[in-house]
């Protein structure tokens, strides 16, 4: 099987202190907020960021999230989707990307992150989010969502 990250370049410096990710396709309008994910690497650990959507997975059919952030010192993999409001679809995109990347990340703990700029009021979405928020690994939530800016320390 081909390595998931083969030929891909990290989108950040090896020990970046602050990593800010925005969706490139989002139109910037004064009245519209863009979803953004910000990771703080205060201990300057070894990190990598890959733009999955359009860089690693280039076809228009395969479900995939926007970015993967790797903290190689902690062996943590953050699967990040930047969305307007379709959170259930974002979860499916993250799960699909995790399935594609899992063989290339042995021993890594997977985390799911969704930053969204719109609002969602679907009952199925609320119950799925509540169920996912209960899971933890290494003392931190496996699943987090919020917006329009989702920010956290990754050390």
């Amino acid at each position: 099987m081909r390595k998931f990250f083969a030929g891909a370049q990290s989108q950040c410096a090896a020990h970046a202190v602050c990593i800010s990710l925005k969706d490139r396709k989002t139109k910037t309008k004064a009245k519209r907020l863009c979803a953004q994910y910000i990771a703080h690497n205060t201990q300057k650990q070894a990190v990598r960021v890959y733009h999955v959507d359009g860089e690693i997975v280039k076809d228009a059919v395969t479900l995939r999230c926007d970015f993967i952030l790797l903290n190689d010192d902690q062996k943590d993999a953050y699967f990040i989707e930047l969305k307007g409001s379709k959170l259930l679809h974002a979860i499916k995109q993250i799960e699909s990307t995790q399935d594609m990347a899992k063989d290339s990340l042995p021993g890594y703990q997977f985390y799911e992150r969704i930053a969204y700029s719109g609002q969602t009021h679907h009952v199925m979405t609320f119950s799925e989010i509540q169920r996912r928020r209960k899971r933890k690994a290494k003392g931190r939530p496996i699943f987090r969502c919020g917006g329009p800016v989702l920010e956290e320390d990754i050390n």
Side-chain angles (χ1 to χ4, degrees):
M1 182 179 162
R2 140 182 120 75
K3 293 285 185 189
F4 187 72
F5 301 101
Q9 297 278 341
S10 176
Q11 304 292 309
C12 73
H15 298 278
V17 174
C18 185
I19 300 160
S20 176
L21 304 173
K22 290 183 183 178
D23 192 352
R24 295 180 194 171
K25 294 180 264 183
T26 304
K27 296 176 184 174
T28 53
K29 294 182 180 178
K31 294 181 181 180
R32 182 175 174 186
L33 296 174
C34 299
Q36 182 179 11
Y37 176 83
I38 300 172
H40 298 284
N41 181 21
T42 55
Q43 294 177 16
K44 297 182 181 178
Q45 294 180 331
V47 293
R48 296 180 281 155
V49 173
Y50 294 98
H51 190 222
V52 179
D53 188 2
E55 303 266 334
I56 292 177
V57 179
K58 296 179 181 174
D59 69 73
V61 179
T62 305
L63 285 178
R64 73 286 194 157
C65 65
D66 291 314
F67 297 96
I68 296 176
L69 166 61
L70 301 175
N71 180 328
D72 292 320
D73 289 340
Q74 296 284 332
K75 292 198 85 125
D76 291 335
Y78 295 85
F79 292 77
I80 302 160
E81 177 61 23
L82 307 174
K83 265 297 187 224
S85 63
K86 298 178 182 177
L87 298 185
L88 287 178
H89 184 68
I91 290 168
K92 290 177 186 174
Q93 289 175 278
I94 288 171
E95 289 173 339
S96 175
T97 309
Q98 288 174 335
D99 191 48
M100 288 185 282
K102 67 184 173 191
D103 291 340
S104 295
L105 296 169
Y108 277 73
Q109 175 61 54
F110 288 3
Y111 295 95
E112 304 165 342
R113 301 297 187 250
I114 303 170
Y116 60 91
S117 59
Q119 293 194 10
T120 180
H121 299 291
H122 194 271
V123 173
M124 288 279 296
T125 301
F126 180 75
S127 62
E128 179 64 15
I129 301 282
Q130 292 302 93
R131 184 182 70 75
R132 286 177 175 273
R133 281 189 172 150
K134 293 177 183 176
R135 302 179 317 183
K136 292 190 182 279
K138 299 180 182 179
R140 68 174 62 132
I142 289 176
F143 177 85
R144 284 192 64 210
C145 69
V149 178
L150 182 60
E151 191 168 359
E152 69 183 323
D153 187 343
I154 60 166
N155 298 138

